[in-house]
Each structure stands twice: as structure tokens, then as C-alpha cells.
Amino acid sequence: MRSRALDASPARPSRRRGLRRLLGAAGVIALALGAAACAGPRGTAGDAGHSTLTVFAAASLTDVFEQVNADFEADHPGVRVVMTNAGSSDLVTQIDQGAPADVLATADERTMARAQELGLTAEDPRPFATNTLTIAVAPGNPRGITSLADLTDPDLAVVRCAAPVPCGAVADEVLADAGIPLVAVSEENSVTDVLGKVTSGQADAGLVYATDVARSGGAAEAVTIPGAAAHATVYPIAVTDRAEDPELAAAYREAVLGPEGRAALGDAGFGPP
Amino acid sequence: MSARTAPPLPLGVGALGVIAAASIVLPLAAIVLQVPWEGATGLLFSPASLQALRLSLLTAACAAAVCLGLGLPLALLLARTRFPGREVLRAMVLVPLVLPPVVSGIALLMTVGRRGLLGPLLEQADARIVFTTAAVVIAQVFVSLPFTVLTLESALVSAGTVPEQVAASLGARPSTVLARITLPRLAPAIVTGTVLAFARSLGEFGATLTFAGSMPGVTRTLPLEIYLARESDPDSAAVLSLLLVLVAILVVLLAYARRGAPGRTQEEAR
């Protein structure tokens, strides 16, 4: 609809048309710029003298790899590390669909094996850390939970990961080993969701990794499971088939495996491989 | 603006329009074309899928019923009464439409979660909502109610109040006016509003995951089952996705194929 003010103004068709054309052109340019801006930072990467290393790391590695990345950037001037964090399975799917990743670190060997089968890795993956299942409870352990067996109390709301996700598979193994038939109120899609249900007070206990409790910053407390160490999850890392600079990617892998990475991982609650 | 046959549009509009249409139609077509058809029926009728589908249909039907039962009174209040803060309330009703679903889930947790606003009250009543099927329905109602209220309200506004005023002047009581005049005239919009709420509920994912959890047969609806299936069995996820796409298309056809309904004319007038 035309605004009344425009219609009522003295007719200066040529000038108005000029203005319209200008507006139209501006609109098209704005649209093009907008679309270009939406295309993301990847388009601006690779400035002269700078290179970008893209790391795909499992969600549980987010905090500790931020430390590793900062150290790596300090040791390699001109290198910027960009990290994507998601469930390991999602990461492999994304790389399979063409996502640009130089290094892949997953939270279990099963998912890395799938990446290998799909031909997405350039080398044999190396284990760099382990993680053990633990019981997360509210700070101060108000329900007095001391063992896996305590979790079978029907008054307790217990959450765990669903079997198809790595933390669920480990939970199944540990529970089967202990011979405990656990009835959960929810089987979450990720270990982060399990921890969230505990820290938000919706659940009394949750089966998570030791590192999840460590990075909750006091919002949850760990009750260790004696038999869990036998079912520790192994975290593998590998350079991908599409690494832009395979040497740089390999250097990153070595940084994770080396003493600095080892120390950062240890601080975050990860065990040695 | 009353021209029956619209004058021709500039050339660029057509091209951009085609891009817009393609950005919606192409992904839908991709699902149909890319689904691994061999073995599709086996995946579709696996016990886990059927259980999730049954739960989805059940909860979405409950949510749609609640949306109609609560949305109709609210729409009547917004359209037919004047009270302070009415415009603000109308704007608030729209908020769940634009909220990220995760935020909706967090908001609901803060309302009826254990440490939520109503948490102590629920504790006293020994009622736990989180992790139950009721939580799924609550999440669905929260995100679907705006559709019902909006549809009904705009239909009420465009229908006007002349017949109601006539009936009232002849001595009809308010309840009689509502039952005999208003509701029958609103019937098409009631169908549209309820079907839309059903559809939105069927697709609810983020708020459910955040607020209700994911338990087979209790809170794991079809969208949550799809999300989980992706972890281990992408083919099964694709087939289940197709099922939801087909249901969505069916529902939208049901809701919008009725030209001339009051809810529709109002939207066209805008």
C-alpha cells in the first residue's frame, strides 16, 4: 500500500522514479550483503599469514580443549584454532556430510571406528584420555546416596543416558556388571542433559562421567562407582582426511597427547589412556 | 487495493519468490526422495517407533483439547472485552511462538520444576510433573496455545458482534448468545485453531526434551525418538522424519484448505 503522504505530494515522476530505483538497488545490495554475511566466517578465513585449524571435539571436551587451544595458539603464532563441539555421533555425521574439520576427537572408540569406516580419518586414531562413569548427586548429597544399589529406591528420580549414546552404553555395561536393575525416570540423549537434570534439581541422581561433575563447578557432587574403572571410556583423536594443513593438524594432535595436554586433561578429571 | 486482477509484478519479484518457495519445498522433497525405501516399513512399524507415535498422537490430542478449552475463553476475552493491559496480554500470548523451544522448556522448569515457582506447592500436593506424560502435554500446550488463541481471536474480530447484539437486545442470556450465536459462527476457526495446535504439539521437541525428559512410552515422543535414532540408526530416523512430514502436510491441508472460513478472510484482509 502506498502511503498517503507520497500520493499527495506534488508530482515529480522522474525524480520519484529515480528514488525508487535507488531504493530498489539498495534493497538488492542489502540482500546480497546479508546473504554473504550469513555465509559465515569460513569465507574470511585464510588471510595472508594466518591459518585456521578446525577442531571437532566431543561435547565433554569443550572446556579442557579451550585450554589446549589457547596453549596451542600461544605456541603457534598466526594460527587460530576454531572448535566445534557436539555429540560425537553428530560430529562424525557432520564431517561425513562435508563439514571442514582438520582434527576429530570423539568421546568413545565406537564412534571413531565409524569415522574410520567412512574413510574420514587420515591416520589410525590414538587414545588420549579416559573417563569413568560416576553418580552425580546434588551438593551435600541430601538423599544419602552411596552406591549404585541405592539408586533402585523407587522414591528417587534417577536419570541416565539412552542406550544408543556412548554414556548410555557405558551405563548399561556398568549396571549389568554390578547386577543392578536400574529404573530411570528419563533416558536422555546426552550426558550434558543428564547433568542438567541433576544440577537443576529435577533428578536426585544421574549417571554421568567423572569429568562432568568436575566441570559442574560445585553444582553437583560425585559418588564413585567401584566397578566403573573397568568400563572406562577411551577418547581417541585423529587427523581427518580433509585436513588443509596435515602437518599443523598432526602438531595439534601431538599437543593433546603431550605433557601440556595431559596436564589440562588431568585437571579436568580425565584419566590417562 | 481492491483490484480483482493484480497488475503485473516486476521481474525480480518472480525470481526471488521462486527461491523462497524452493527453500521451503526442496528440503521437504529431499526427505521424500532420500528416504531409504527398502526396509522402510520395517523401521516404521518397529515397536519403538509405534510406541513413540502412539504417545505423540495421544499427547498432541490432549494438548489440542486443552488449547481449545483454554484458548477459546482467552480469545473471547481478548476480542470481546476491554480491560487494562489487554494489548500487553495479546502481545504476551505471542511470545511462545518466537521463543526458542529450549527456552520454553527452561521457563516451564522454572514454573513447575522442583525448584520452580510452583515447586513447593506441588511438593505439598506430592505431585511430580517433570518426567511425566503430563509434562509433555504442558510443554505442548505452552507452545501451541498461541496458534489457537490467534486463530480464534482474529475470527472473532472479523465476524463482528451485530448478531450477538441483536440476540441480546431480544433478551437472550450471555450463555445462550455464546452457545447459539457466537460458537456456531466460529466453527471453522475452531477447527483450524485446534488442528494447528495439534500439529504444533505433534512437532514439539525442544521444550519436551528440556522439561519432560525422554523415557520410552512416557515422555519420548516421535520427535525425540527421531533425535535419538539418529545416534545409532540414521535410516530409521529418516523414515520416521518422513512420517512426521506427511502428518504435517496432511494437517496443514486440513487447517488451510477451507477458503472462506472467518479465520481465513481476516488473514487475507491484512
Side-chain angles (χ1 to χ4, degrees), chain B residues 13-73:
Chain B
V13 172
L16 292 175
V18 167
I19 295 175
S23 64
I24 292 174
V25 174
L26 210 56
L28 295 180
I31 275 201
V32 178
L33 295 175
Q34 300 274 69
V35 154
W37 288 105
E38 62 278 12
T41 49
L43 294 171
L44 212 50
F45 298 116
S46 77
S49 322
L50 286 179
Q51 191 179 36
L53 178 63
R54 198 180 311 125
L55 182 68
S56 271
L57 292 174
L58 179 79
T59 52
C62 286
V66 173
C67 283
L68 178 61
L70 298 179
L72 184 58

CSV table of all heavy atoms in Angstrom, one decimal, chain B residues 13-73:
chain,number,residue,atom,x,y,z
B,13,VAL,N,10.8,-9.9,-8.6
B,13,VAL,CA,9.9,-10.5,-7.6
B,13,VAL,C,9.7,-12.0,-7.9
B,13,VAL,O,9.7,-12.8,-7.0
B,13,VAL,CB,8.5,-9.8,-7.5
B,13,VAL,CG1,7.6,-10.5,-6.6
B,13,VAL,CG2,8.7,-8.3,-7.1
B,14,GLY,N,9.5,-12.3,-9.1
B,14,GLY,CA,9.3,-13.7,-9.5
B,14,GLY,C,10.4,-14.5,-9.2
B,14,GLY,O,10.3,-15.6,-8.5
B,15,ALA,N,11.6,-14.1,-9.5
B,15,ALA,CA,12.8,-14.9,-9.3
B,15,ALA,C,13.0,-15.1,-7.8
B,15,ALA,O,13.3,-16.2,-7.3
B,15,ALA,CB,14.1,-14.1,-9.8
B,16,LEU,N,12.9,-14.0,-7.0
B,16,LEU,CA,13.1,-14.2,-5.5
B,16,LEU,C,12.0,-15.1,-4.9
B,16,LEU,O,12.3,-15.9,-4.0
B,16,LEU,CB,13.1,-12.8,-4.8
B,16,LEU,CG,14.3,-11.9,-5.2
B,16,LEU,CD1,14.2,-10.5,-4.6
B,16,LEU,CD2,15.6,-12.6,-4.7
B,17,GLY,N,10.8,-14.9,-5.5
B,17,GLY,CA,9.7,-15.8,-5.0
B,17,GLY,C,10.0,-17.2,-5.2
B,17,GLY,O,9.7,-18.1,-4.4
B,18,VAL,N,10.5,-17.5,-6.4
B,18,VAL,CA,10.9,-18.9,-6.7
B,18,VAL,C,11.9,-19.4,-5.7
B,18,VAL,O,11.8,-20.6,-5.2
B,18,VAL,CB,11.4,-19.0,-8.2
B,18,VAL,CG1,12.0,-20.4,-8.4
B,18,VAL,CG2,10.2,-18.8,-9.1
B,19,ILE,N,12.9,-18.6,-5.4
B,19,ILE,CA,13.9,-19.0,-4.4
B,19,ILE,C,13.3,-19.3,-3.1
B,19,ILE,O,13.6,-20.3,-2.4
B,19,ILE,CB,15.0,-17.9,-4.3
B,19,ILE,CG1,15.8,-17.8,-5.6
B,19,ILE,CG2,16.0,-18.3,-3.2
B,19,ILE,CD1,16.8,-16.7,-5.7
B,20,ALA,N,12.4,-18.4,-2.7
B,20,ALA,CA,11.7,-18.5,-1.4
B,20,ALA,C,11.0,-19.9,-1.3
B,20,ALA,O,11.1,-20.6,-0.4
B,20,ALA,CB,10.8,-17.4,-1.1
B,21,ALA,N,10.2,-20.1,-2.4
B,21,ALA,CA,9.4,-21.3,-2.4
B,21,ALA,C,10.3,-22.6,-2.4
B,21,ALA,O,10.0,-23.5,-1.7
B,21,ALA,CB,8.5,-21.3,-3.7
B,22,ALA,N,11.4,-22.5,-3.2
B,22,ALA,CA,12.3,-23.6,-3.2
B,22,ALA,C,12.9,-23.9,-1.9
B,22,ALA,O,13.2,-25.0,-1.5
B,22,ALA,CB,13.4,-23.4,-4.3
B,23,SER,N,13.2,-22.8,-1.1
B,23,SER,CA,13.9,-23.0,0.2
B,23,SER,C,13.0,-23.8,1.2
B,23,SER,O,13.4,-24.3,2.1
B,23,SER,CB,14.4,-21.7,0.8
B,23,SER,OG,13.3,-20.9,1.0
B,24,ILE,N,11.7,-23.7,0.9
B,24,ILE,CA,10.7,-24.5,1.7
B,24,ILE,C,10.5,-25.9,1.1
B,24,ILE,O,10.5,-26.9,1.8
B,24,ILE,CB,9.4,-23.7,1.9
B,24,ILE,CG1,9.7,-22.5,2.7
B,24,ILE,CG2,8.4,-24.6,2.6
B,24,ILE,CD1,8.5,-21.6,2.9
B,25,VAL,N,10.2,-25.9,-0.2
B,25,VAL,CA,9.7,-27.1,-0.8
B,25,VAL,C,10.9,-28.1,-1.0
B,25,VAL,O,10.7,-29.3,-0.8
B,25,VAL,CB,9.1,-26.8,-2.2
B,25,VAL,CG1,8.7,-28.1,-2.9
B,25,VAL,CG2,7.8,-26.0,-1.9
B,26,LEU,N,12.1,-27.6,-1.3
B,26,LEU,CA,13.2,-28.5,-1.6
B,26,LEU,C,13.6,-29.4,-0.4
B,26,LEU,O,13.7,-30.7,-0.6
B,26,LEU,CB,14.4,-27.7,-2.0
B,26,LEU,CG,15.4,-28.3,-3.0
B,26,LEU,CD1,14.6,-28.8,-4.3
B,26,LEU,CD2,16.5,-27.4,-3.4
B,27,PRO,N,13.7,-28.9,0.8
B,27,PRO,CA,14.0,-29.8,1.9
B,27,PRO,C,12.9,-30.9,2.1
B,27,PRO,O,13.2,-32.0,2.5
B,27,PRO,CB,14.2,-28.9,3.1
B,27,PRO,CG,14.5,-27.6,2.5
B,27,PRO,CD,13.8,-27.5,1.2
B,28,LEU,N,11.7,-30.5,1.9
B,28,LEU,CA,10.6,-31.4,2.1
B,28,LEU,C,10.7,-32.5,1.0
B,28,LEU,O,10.5,-33.7,1.3
B,28,LEU,CB,9.2,-30.7,2.0
B,28,LEU,CG,8.9,-29.7,3.1
B,28,LEU,CD1,7.6,-29.1,2.9
B,28,LEU,CD2,9.0,-30.4,4.5
B,29,ALA,N,11.0,-32.1,-0.2
B,29,ALA,CA,11.1,-33.1,-1.3
B,29,ALA,C,12.3,-34.0,-1.0
B,29,ALA,O,12.3,-35.2,-1.3
B,29,ALA,CB,11.3,-32.3,-2.6
B,30,ALA,N,13.4,-33.4,-0.5
B,30,ALA,CA,14.6,-34.2,-0.2
B,30,ALA,C,14.3,-35.3,0.7
B,30,ALA,O,14.8,-36.4,0.5
B,30,ALA,CB,15.7,-33.3,0.4
B,31,ILE,N,13.5,-35.1,1.7
B,31,ILE,CA,13.2,-36.2,2.7
B,31,ILE,C,12.5,-37.3,2.0
B,31,ILE,O,12.9,-38.5,2.1
B,31,ILE,CB,12.3,-35.6,3.8
B,31,ILE,CG1,13.2,-35.0,4.9
B,31,ILE,CG2,11.5,-36.7,4.4
B,31,ILE,CD1,12.6,-34.9,6.3
B,32,VAL,N,11.5,-36.9,1.1
B,32,VAL,CA,10.8,-38.0,0.4
B,32,VAL,C,11.7,-38.7,-0.6
B,32,VAL,O,11.7,-40.0,-0.7
B,32,VAL,CB,9.6,-37.3,-0.4
B,32,VAL,CG1,8.9,-38.4,-1.2
B,32,VAL,CG2,8.7,-36.6,0.5
B,33,LEU,N,12.6,-38.0,-1.3
B,33,LEU,CA,13.5,-38.6,-2.3
B,33,LEU,C,14.6,-39.4,-1.6
B,33,LEU,O,15.1,-40.4,-2.2
B,33,LEU,CB,14.0,-37.5,-3.2
B,33,LEU,CG,13.0,-36.8,-4.0
B,33,LEU,CD1,13.6,-35.7,-4.8
B,33,LEU,CD2,12.3,-37.8,-5.0
B,34,GLN,N,15.1,-38.9,-0.5
B,34,GLN,CA,16.3,-39.5,0.1
B,34,GLN,C,16.1,-40.7,1.1
B,34,GLN,O,17.0,-41.4,1.5
B,34,GLN,CB,17.2,-38.5,0.8
B,34,GLN,CG,17.6,-37.3,-0.1
B,34,GLN,CD,18.9,-37.7,-0.8
B,34,GLN,OE1,18.9,-38.5,-1.7
B,34,GLN,NE2,20.0,-37.0,-0.4
B,35,VAL,N,14.8,-40.8,1.4
B,35,VAL,CA,14.5,-41.9,2.4
B,35,VAL,C,14.8,-43.3,1.9
B,35,VAL,O,14.6,-43.6,0.7
B,35,VAL,CB,13.0,-41.8,2.8
B,35,VAL,CG1,12.5,-43.2,3.3
B,35,VAL,CG2,12.8,-40.8,3.9
B,36,PRO,N,15.6,-44.1,2.7
B,36,PRO,CA,15.9,-45.4,2.2
B,36,PRO,C,14.6,-46.3,2.2
B,36,PRO,O,14.2,-46.8,3.3
B,36,PRO,CB,16.9,-45.9,3.3
B,36,PRO,CG,16.6,-45.1,4.5
B,36,PRO,CD,16.0,-43.8,4.0
B,37,TRP,N,14.0,-46.4,1.1
B,37,TRP,CA,12.7,-47.0,1.0
B,37,TRP,C,12.7,-48.5,1.3
B,37,TRP,O,11.8,-49.1,1.9
B,37,TRP,CB,12.0,-46.8,-0.4
B,37,TRP,CG,11.6,-45.4,-0.6
B,37,TRP,CD1,12.2,-44.4,-1.3
B,37,TRP,CD2,10.4,-44.8,0.1
B,37,TRP,NE1,11.5,-43.3,-1.2
B,37,TRP,CE2,10.4,-43.5,-0.3
B,37,TRP,CE3,9.5,-45.3,1.0
B,37,TRP,CZ2,9.4,-42.6,0.1
B,37,TRP,CZ3,8.5,-44.4,1.4
B,37,TRP,CH2,8.5,-43.1,1.0
B,38,GLU,N,13.8,-49.2,0.9
B,38,GLU,CA,13.9,-50.6,1.2
B,38,GLU,C,14.0,-50.8,2.7
B,38,GLU,O,14.8,-50.2,3.4
B,38,GLU,CB,15.1,-51.3,0.5
B,38,GLU,CG,16.5,-50.8,0.8
B,38,GLU,CD,16.9,-49.5,0.1
B,38,GLU,OE1,16.0,-48.9,-0.5
B,38,GLU,OE2,18.1,-49.2,0.1
B,39,GLY,N,13.1,-51.6,3.2
B,39,GLY,CA,13.1,-51.8,4.7
B,39,GLY,C,12.4,-50.7,5.4
B,39,GLY,O,12.4,-50.7,6.6
B,40,ALA,N,11.8,-49.8,4.7
B,40,ALA,CA,11.2,-48.6,5.4
B,40,ALA,C,10.1,-49.0,6.3
B,40,ALA,O,9.9,-48.6,7.4
B,40,ALA,CB,10.7,-47.6,4.3
B,41,THR,N,9.2,-50.0,5.8
B,41,THR,CA,8.1,-50.3,6.5
B,41,THR,C,8.5,-51.0,7.8
B,41,THR,O,7.9,-50.8,8.9
B,41,THR,CB,7.1,-51.3,5.7
B,41,THR,OG1,7.9,-52.3,5.2
B,41,THR,CG2,6.4,-50.5,4.7
B,42,GLY,N,9.6,-51.8,7.8
B,42,GLY,CA,10.1,-52.5,9.0
B,42,GLY,C,10.5,-51.5,10.0
B,42,GLY,O,10.1,-51.6,11.2
B,43,LEU,N,11.1,-50.4,9.6
B,43,LEU,CA,11.6,-49.4,10.5
B,43,LEU,C,10.4,-48.6,11.1
B,43,LEU,O,10.3,-48.2,12.2
B,43,LEU,CB,12.5,-48.4,9.8
B,43,LEU,CG,13.9,-48.9,9.4
B,43,LEU,CD1,14.6,-47.9,8.5
B,43,LEU,CD2,14.7,-49.3,10.6
B,44,LEU,N,9.4,-48.3,10.2
B,44,LEU,CA,8.2,-47.6,10.5
B,44,LEU,C,7.4,-48.3,11.6
B,44,LEU,O,6.8,-47.6,12.5
B,44,LEU,CB,7.4,-47.3,9.2
B,44,LEU,CG,6.6,-46.1,9.1
B,44,LEU,CD1,7.5,-44.9,9.4
B,44,LEU,CD2,6.0,-45.9,7.7
B,45,PHE,N,7.3,-49.6,11.5
B,45,PHE,CA,6.5,-50.3,12.4
B,45,PHE,C,7.2,-51.1,13.5
B,45,PHE,O,6.7,-52.0,14.0
B,45,PHE,CB,5.6,-51.3,11.6
B,45,PHE,CG,4.7,-50.5,10.6
B,45,PHE,CD1,4.8,-50.7,9.2
B,45,PHE,CD2,3.7,-49.6,11.1
B,45,PHE,CE1,3.9,-50.0,8.4
B,45,PHE,CE2,2.9,-48.9,10.2
B,45,PHE,CZ,3.0,-49.1,8.9
B,46,SER,N,8.4,-50.6,13.7
B,46,SER,CA,9.2,-51.2,14.9
B,46,SER,C,8.5,-50.8,16.2
B,46,SER,O,7.8,-49.8,16.2
B,46,SER,CB,10.6,-50.7,14.9
B,46,SER,OG,10.7,-49.4,15.4
B,47,PRO,N,8.6,-51.7,17.2
B,47,PRO,CA,7.9,-51.4,18.4
B,47,PRO,C,8.2,-50.0,19.0
B,47,PRO,O,7.3,-49.3,19.5
B,47,PRO,CB,8.4,-52.5,19.4
B,47,PRO,CG,8.8,-53.6,18.5
B,47,PRO,CD,9.3,-53.0,17.2
B,48,ALA,N,9.5,-49.6,18.9
B,48,ALA,CA,9.9,-48.3,19.5
B,48,ALA,C,9.2,-47.2,18.7
B,48,ALA,O,8.7,-46.2,19.4
B,48,ALA,CB,11.4,-48.2,19.4
B,49,SER,N,9.1,-47.3,17.4
B,49,SER,CA,8.5,-46.2,16.6
B,49,SER,C,7.0,-46.1,16.9
B,49,SER,O,6.5,-45.0,17.1
B,49,SER,CB,8.7,-46.4,15.1
B,49,SER,OG,9.9,-47.0,14.8
B,50,LEU,N,6.4,-47.3,17.0
B,50,LEU,CA,4.9,-47.3,17.2
B,50,LEU,C,4.6,-46.8,18.6
B,50,LEU,O,3.7,-46.0,18.8
B,50,LEU,CB,4.4,-48.8,17.1
B,50,LEU,CG,4.3,-49.3,15.7
B,50,LEU,CD1,3.8,-50.7,15.7
B,50,LEU,CD2,3.4,-48.4,14.8
B,51,GLN,N,5.5,-47.1,19.6
B,51,GLN,CA,5.3,-46.6,20.9
B,51,GLN,C,5.4,-45.1,20.9
B,51,GLN,O,4.5,-44.4,21.5
B,51,GLN,CB,6.3,-47.2,21.9
B,51,GLN,CG,6.0,-47.0,23.3
B,51,GLN,CD,7.1,-47.6,24.2
B,51,GLN,OE1,8.3,-47.7,23.9
B,51,GLN,NE2,6.7,-48.2,25.3
B,52,ALA,N,6.4,-44.6,20.3
B,52,ALA,CA,6.6,-43.1,20.2
B,52,ALA,C,5.5,-42.5,19.5
B,52,ALA,O,5.0,-41.4,19.9
B,52,ALA,CB,7.9,-42.8,19.6
B,53,LEU,N,5.0,-43.1,18.4
B,53,LEU,CA,3.9,-42.5,17.6
B,53,LEU,C,2.7,-42.4,18.4
B,53,LEU,O,1.9,-41.4,18.4
B,53,LEU,CB,3.7,-43.3,16.3
B,53,LEU,CG,2.6,-42.9,15.4
B,53,LEU,CD1,2.9,-41.4,14.9
B,53,LEU,CD2,2.3,-43.8,14.2
B,54,ARG,N,2.4,-43.5,19.1
B,54,ARG,CA,1.2,-43.6,19.9
B,54,ARG,C,1.2,-42.5,21.0
B,54,ARG,O,0.2,-41.7,21.2
B,54,ARG,CB,1.0,-45.0,20.6
B,54,ARG,CG,-0.4,-45.3,21.1
B,54,ARG,CD,-0.4,-46.7,21.7
B,54,ARG,NE,0.2,-47.7,20.9
B,54,ARG,CZ,1.1,-48.5,21.3
B,54,ARG,NH1,1.6,-48.4,22.5
B,54,ARG,NH2,1.6,-49.4,20.5
B,55,LEU,N,2.4,-42.4,21.6
B,55,LEU,CA,2.5,-41.3,22.7
B,55,LEU,C,2.3,-39.9,22.1
B,55,LEU,O,1.7,-39.1,22.6
B,55,LEU,CB,3.9,-41.5,23.3
B,55,LEU,CG,4.1,-40.5,24.5
B,55,LEU,CD1,3.2,-40.8,25.7
B,55,LEU,CD2,5.6,-40.5,24.9
B,56,SER,N,2.9,-39.7,20.9
B,56,SER,CA,2.8,-38.4,20.2
B,56,SER,C,1.4,-38.1,19.9
B,56,SER,O,0.9,-37.0,20.2
B,56,SER,CB,3.6,-38.4,18.9
B,56,SER,OG,4.9,-38.0,19.2
B,57,LEU,N,0.6,-39.0,19.3
B,57,LEU,CA,-0.7,-38.8,18.9
B,57,LEU,C,-1.6,-38.5,20.2
B,57,LEU,O,-2.4,-37.6,20.2
B,57,LEU,CB,-1.3,-40.0,18.2
B,57,LEU,CG,-0.7,-40.2,16.8
B,57,LEU,CD1,-1.3,-41.5,16.2
B,57,LEU,CD2,-1.0,-39.0,15.9
B,58,LEU,N,-1.4,-39.3,21.2
B,58,LEU,CA,-2.1,-39.2,22.5
B,58,LEU,C,-1.9,-37.8,23.1
B,58,LEU,O,-2.8,-37.1,23.4
B,58,LEU,CB,-1.8,-40.3,23.4
B,58,LEU,CG,-2.5,-40.2,24.8
B,58,LEU,CD1,-3.9,-40.8,24.7
B,58,LEU,CD2,-1.7,-41.0,25.8
B,59,THR,N,-0.6,-37.4,23.3
B,59,THR,CA,-0.3,-36.2,23.9
B,59,THR,C,-0.7,-35.0,23.1
B,59,THR,O,-1.3,-34.0,23.6
B,59,THR,CB,1.2,-36.1,24.3
B,59,THR,OG1,1.9,-36.3,23.1
B,59,THR,CG2,1.6,-37.0,25.3
B,60,ALA,N,-0.5,-35.1,21.8
B,60,ALA,CA,-0.9,-34.0,20.9
B,60,ALA,C,-2.4,-33.8,20.9
B,60,ALA,O,-2.9,-32.6,20.9
B,60,ALA,CB,-0.4,-34.2,19.5
B,61,ALA,N,-3.2,-34.9,21.0
B,61,ALA,CA,-4.6,-34.8,21.1
B,61,ALA,C,-5.1,-34.1,22.4
B,61,ALA,O,-5.9,-33.2,22.4
B,61,ALA,CB,-5.3,-36.2,20.9
B,62,CYS,N,-4.4,-34.5,23.5
B,62,CYS,CA,-4.7,-33.9,24.8
B,62,CYS,C,-4.4,-32.4,24.7
B,62,CYS,O,-5.2,-31.6,25.2
B,62,CYS,CB,-3.9,-34.6,25.9
B,62,CYS,SG,-4.5,-36.2,26.3
B,63,ALA,N,-3.2,-32.1,24.2
B,63,ALA,CA,-2.8,-30.7,24.2
B,63,ALA,C,-3.8,-29.9,23.3
B,63,ALA,O,-4.1,-28.8,23.7
B,63,ALA,CB,-1.4,-30.6,23.6
B,64,ALA,N,-4.2,-30.4,22.2
B,64,ALA,CA,-5.1,-29.7,21.3
B,64,ALA,C,-6.4,-29.5,22.0
B,64,ALA,O,-7.0,-28.4,21.9
B,64,ALA,CB,-5.3,-30.5,20.0
B,65,ALA,N,-6.9,-30.5,22.8
B,65,ALA,CA,-8.2,-30.3,23.5
B,65,ALA,C,-8.0,-29.2,24.6
B,65,ALA,O,-8.9,-28.3,24.7
B,65,ALA,CB,-8.6,-31.6,24.2
B,66,VAL,N,-6.9,-29.2,25.3
B,66,VAL,CA,-6.7,-28.2,26.3
B,66,VAL,C,-6.6,-26.8,25.6
B,66,VAL,O,-7.1,-25.8,26.1
B,66,VAL,CB,-5.4,-28.5,27.1
B,66,VAL,CG1,-5.0,-27.3,28.0
B,66,VAL,CG2,-5.5,-29.8,27.9
B,67,CYS,N,-5.9,-26.7,24.5
B,67,CYS,CA,-5.7,-25.5,23.8
B,67,CYS,C,-7.1,-24.9,23.4
B,67,CYS,O,-7.3,-23.7,23.5
B,67,CYS,CB,-4.9,-25.6,22.5
B,67,CYS,SG,-3.1,-25.8,22.9
B,68,LEU,N,-8.0,-25.8,22.9
B,68,LEU,CA,-9.3,-25.3,22.6
B,68,LEU,C,-10.1,-24.9,23.8
B,68,LEU,O,-10.7,-23.8,23.8
B,68,LEU,CB,-10.1,-26.4,21.8
B,68,LEU,CG,-11.5,-26.1,21.4
B,68,LEU,CD1,-11.5,-24.9,20.5
B,68,LEU,CD2,-12.2,-27.3,20.8
B,69,GLY,N,-10.0,-25.7,24.9
B,69,GLY,CA,-10.8,-25.4,26.1
B,69,GLY,C,-10.3,-24.1,26.8
B,69,GLY,O,-11.1,-23.4,27.3
B,70,LEU,N,-9.0,-23.8,26.7
B,70,LEU,CA,-8.5,-22.6,27.4
B,70,LEU,C,-8.3,-21.5,26.4
B,70,LEU,O,-8.5,-20.3,26.8
B,70,LEU,CB,-7.1,-22.9,28.0
B,70,LEU,CG,-7.1,-24.0,29.1
B,70,LEU,CD1,-5.7,-24.2,29.7
B,70,LEU,CD2,-8.1,-23.6,30.3
B,71,GLY,N,-8.1,-21.8,25.1
B,71,GLY,CA,-7.8,-20.8,24.1
B,71,GLY,C,-9.1,-20.0,23.8
B,71,GLY,O,-9.0,-18.8,23.5
B,72,LEU,N,-10.2,-20.7,23.7
B,72,LEU,CA,-11.5,-20.1,23.4
B,72,LEU,C,-11.9,-19.0,24.4
B,72,LEU,O,-12.1,-17.9,24.0
B,72,LEU,CB,-12.6,-21.2,23.2
B,72,LEU,CG,-13.9,-20.7,22.8
B,72,LEU,CD1,-13.8,-20.0,21.4
B,72,LEU,CD2,-14.9,-21.8,22.7
B,73,PRO,N,-11.9,-19.3,25.7
B,73,PRO,CA,-12.2,-18.2,26.6
B,73,PRO,C,-11.2,-17.0,26.5
B,73,PRO,O,-11.6,-15.9,26.6
B,73,PRO,CB,-12.0,-18.9,28.0
B,73,PRO,CG,-12.2,-20.3,27.7
B,73,PRO,CD,-11.7,-20.6,26.3
